[in-house]
Amino acid sequence: MVYVGLISFALTFLALIVGTVFAVIGLSRKETSLSPLTFNAAVAAFALHTVAILAMVLLQITEDYSVAYVADVINPAMPMILKITALWGAMAGSLFFWSWILHLVMLTALVNKKKLLDNWSFLVIGVTNLFFAAITLFIENPFAQIWELVDGNIVAYLLSPEAGAVITKVSGVGLNPLLRHPGMIIHPPLLYVGFALFLVPFAVAVSQLIRKTADDALLDQTRSWIIGAWVFLTAGLALGSWWSYGVLGWGGYWAWDPVETASLLPWLTGTALLHSLLLERHRGIFRHFNLALVLSTWFLVVFSIFVTRSGLISSVHAFGESGISRMLLVFTVALFVVCLGLLIWRWKSLTTPWEFKSAFDREALFLYTNVILIAIVVACLWGLLFPLLNGAITGTQMALDLSFFQNTTAPLFILLVLLLAVCPLVGWSIASLKRIGKLAWIPLGVAVLLTAGTALLGLTKLWTFVGIFIVALGLSVLIMLTIRDAVATKSGFGKMVWKQRARYGAYLVHTGVLLIALGITGVHTLSNEVEAHFAVGDRMPFGQYEVVFDKVTEAFENPEYLTAKAQLTIYRNGAEVVKLYPAQHIYSERNQTISIPAMQSTARGDLYTNLIAYTADADGDFAVVTVIDNPLVNWMWVGALLMVLGGLLALSLTPKASKRLEAAPELLNGQETVQEK
Amino acid sequence: MKKKPNHKFIIGGVVIAAALMYLLISSTISGSQYFMTVEELQTQKAEYVGKNVRMSGSVLGDTIQYEPKTLSLTFEVAQIPGDHKLIQQMGGMAKVLEDAAADPNAPRMTIHYTGAKPDLLQPAAQAIVSGSLDANGVFQATELLLKCPSKYESALPKQAE
């Protein structure tokens, strides 16, 4: 099975080379459309890659411990689902999986009815896929086996070294327990698919820049790719954050770790791209801006992979230093040069007439939105690269801590959400402050009332009020506009939403963002944390609650680890609210202990408990527990879900349907609600 | 393009760029940390007392002392190089960490941290601590991160490039 996988992976590589060579031959004959030979070679490459992936999965589920990767991430006690998903549990496997996802995306683009790919764009995809397949095949190959040399040394090699024999371990190490969480099982594939989907718009854009086709085809062809990529990326980031919150036991959701930060960057430029694409549709402006965003989004995807896998930027998430660092560095830098070169070369031909008509029409607000999104990208890039640059220039090594990211991005994010809150009030036509004022008094009133209401609840912090005011303003604007349209429409509400699903999809996404802002406001301004040291029977007052420690129990619920469970009873006003069981799983063989937080989640927020240390002996049980009150935190997950659903709603609008709407733009109320074409 | 709106556009752009620059520079100054090795900090102790420092070293397993009731965690780390290239040349991070922990002559530093004992705190793990040196030469960590290269991987040299 090892050789089935290895050979089909090698053949994948060959097939892809053949396809790419045919594309180059085609180009040398000045043919732009894809030849059937290239098409067939690429399809074959995907099929072979799939065989190789299946072989790897088979090796994992049959626990073939002669394979180094299997011995590293699998052990017999793991359930079947984890044995399969361990494919992306460590470096070699996840790189292999990423390469397959890229091939899958290539296939999807190839079979696309609209003939999305020509020789140029295929060349871009082919070279990219060849690069990632090559570093997997030649450097981080998951099919490497474990060999014992005559001198007794044990090594991992792909093919037999001189005078060596394959040895098979009885059992493997098993997947890192921290990664055995549903969020971590689905998070990487979602992120990879989101990343990979941006390759297609990038390839199409590069082809257009080279061929100098100045039509708007880029938009129509790749709109759904960009929205799709954005949806996957949003879901992937949200799940990663949920995992961090639910598993790592620190009660936080985002730590500005370099790897997290880097994976946020393509999302930010992708979001900017979605907005400016809309502008190009409406006004035929911003073409150069759009192309720059398409190019930089893909570049940031590659940059993010570089940060994660090269180990050059120190991070707890990174895979650690590896043999592929230098290759990735070269690829990333080369990509940067190509992108920049293409843009400079074609900049003049892209410039579109544009006038800054008003500082307060929707074009202007979209522009501000994108400027802020890009400012956040700049701040994050600076934070990531400053330590490297500073080290190269001054020789002293420096790093930027968490406060850098918080101080720079917080004001920008607040401005962004504020813009998002008021933007729907502003129409596409020239608007003035006066008109905004006329529409704004209802939501403004609602927001002021709600904020005043929270003051009555006894909250005192300024930033709580700011957060709640902005969220209330944004939500009431969206609700007001939807009600107004629902009253004005002649068809039913459901039909109206469906007909204008790009617009209501955007509303839903924006509602999601506002709910996330609400959650962040709660966590950052209202959260309360104590570290409690308990002996049995100790009662600790905690805000409106009282926390009582009952006992600690130890049991082997699973052959792999010992479970230590603390029992806490939570009271409010003397009445029992809930019993919580924060636990530790102690993997003695791995010498690793992981905490399993326990929480009570409600719409109000989470009561989050984490067992930090304990003793269970004759003197009586003793436990150290972190208790965190995280108000409003769950609205973040609801918000993320709405963002994904809203994206899917907008995605369901096929290009054909959008064409039709373009022909008959619906003008409701004269000026405000030009249908999103 | 008309000239007047263009002016506005440029002025707006300059204002935004200036604001962003201010934000970046001020946050860089307040958020900077000196990234030092154990050896560098040991040799320049006086200069860095009280300054925000990030340091990384190899955990010495038998020095770990943890008092669960007070959450007081003390352990020593041994010198590992700060230079990525050098680490590669020395056989990779896992090997460097193992060697540093086994070398009795490697410069060492005592770390004190108050809080939960991290799951990954184990012999020859890479500890990344943020905090500052106190007057007694003990590193008072406010943040403790651990990275653990898999032991199994260290027994298996990566394939030749």
Side-chain angles (χ1 to χ4, degrees), chain A residues 212-529:
Chain A
K212 214 175 171 177
T213 45
D215 52 18
D216 286 342
L218 175 69
L219 313 175
D220 290 330
Q221 285 176 349
T222 61
R223 174 184 175 272
S224 33
W225 291 85
I226 294 166
I227 299 180
W230 185 89
V231 167
F232 274 101
L233 211 49
T234 307
L237 288 169
L239 276 174
S241 172
W242 179 58
W243 168 78
S244 156
Y245 181 77
V247 171
L248 296 186
W250 58 298
Y253 57 92
W254 190 265
W256 291 109
D257 178 272
V259 167
E260 285 175 356
T261 309
S263 66
L264 182 67
L265 296 177
W267 186 87
L268 290 168
T269 51
T271 307
L273 181 60
L274 286 179
H275 288 97
S276 69
L277 272 181
L278 217 56
L279 280 186
E280 189 167 332
R281 272 166 171 263
H282 280 280
R283 291 278 190 263
I285 55 177
F286 278 31
R287 188 172 297 129
H288 49 329
F289 201 50
N290 281 333
L291 279 164
L293 280 173
V294 171
L295 263 52
S296 46
T297 303
W298 175 250
F299 168 74
L300 290 170
V301 166
V302 172
F303 177 75
S304 168
I305 294 168
F306 166 71
V307 169
T308 314
R309 295 177 189 272
S310 72
L312 284 186
I313 295 174
S314 89
S315 152
V316 271
H317 289 242
F319 283 91
E321 91 283 1
S322 65
I324 61 173
S325 302
R326 199 166 309 145
M327 306 263 192
L328 274 174
L329 180 64
V330 170
F331 187 73
T332 310
V333 171
L335 184 65
F336 182 74
V337 172
V338 168
C339 289
L340 199 65
L342 274 175
L343 279 180
I344 294 171
W345 183 38
R346 292 300 193 204
W347 191 256
K348 267 197 183 147
S349 67
L350 291 171
T351 312
T352 42
W354 180 59
E355 264 178 63
F356 200 66
K357 292 198 201 82
S358 153
F360 292 101
D361 64 0
R362 196 172 279 189
E363 280 166 30
L365 293 195
F366 270 44
L367 179 67
Y368 303 151
T369 301
N370 281 359
V371 166
I372 295 173
L373 283 167
I374 288 162
I376 298 173
V377 172
V378 170
C380 291
L381 275 176
W382 175 256
L384 288 174
L385 295 175
F386 173 75
L388 288 182
L389 292 176
N390 182 65
I393 295 165
T394 65
T396 57
Q397 286 203 316
M398 256 185 163
L400 291 174
D401 64 10
L402 189 64
S403 75
F404 168 82
F405 289 99
Q406 287 174 339
N407 292 342
T408 50
T409 59
L412 294 170
F413 274 120
I414 291 172
L415 272 179
L416 196 63
V417 178
L418 185 63
L419 266 180
L420 179 153
V422 297
C423 191
L425 288 175
V426 183
W428 285 108
S429 51
I430 299 172
S432 64
L433 272 177
K434 217 184 200 172
R435 182 173 288 153
I436 301 172
K438 251 187 197 167
L439 272 167
W441 69 268
I442 299 177
L444 259 179
V446 173
V448 168
L449 279 178
L450 276 173
T451 314
T454 54
L456 291 179
L457 285 176
L459 303 176
T460 51
K461 284 187 185 144
L462 172 66
W463 289 110
T464 317
F465 294 138
V466 171
I468 286 179
F469 176 78
I470 294 177
V471 172
L473 180 66
L475 287 178
S476 42
V477 164
L478 290 176
I479 292 169
M480 180 187 81
L481 291 179
T482 310
I483 291 177
R484 200 187 57 176
D485 291 353
V487 170
T489 185
K490 289 184 188 79
S491 47
F493 179 71
K495 216 174 167 190
M496 173 190 85
V497 170
W498 186 246
K499 255 174 104 180
Q500 305 186 36
R501 52 196 182 276
R503 177 161 161 226
Y504 287 101
Y507 276 18
L508 211 53
V509 170
H510 286 185
T511 308
V513 174
L514 289 164
L515 291 181
I516 290 177
L518 182 67
I520 291 177
T521 305
V523 173
H524 283 276
T525 67
L526 300 172
S527 137
N528 181 16
E529 176 175 347

Side-chain angles (χ1 to χ4, degrees), chain A residues 26-27 30-34 117-120 211:
Chain A
L27 286 172
K30 302 225 183 313
E31 292 163 9
T32 48
S33 61
L34 218 54
L117 299 184
D118 57 20
N119 274 331
W120 278 115
R211 293 189 293 117

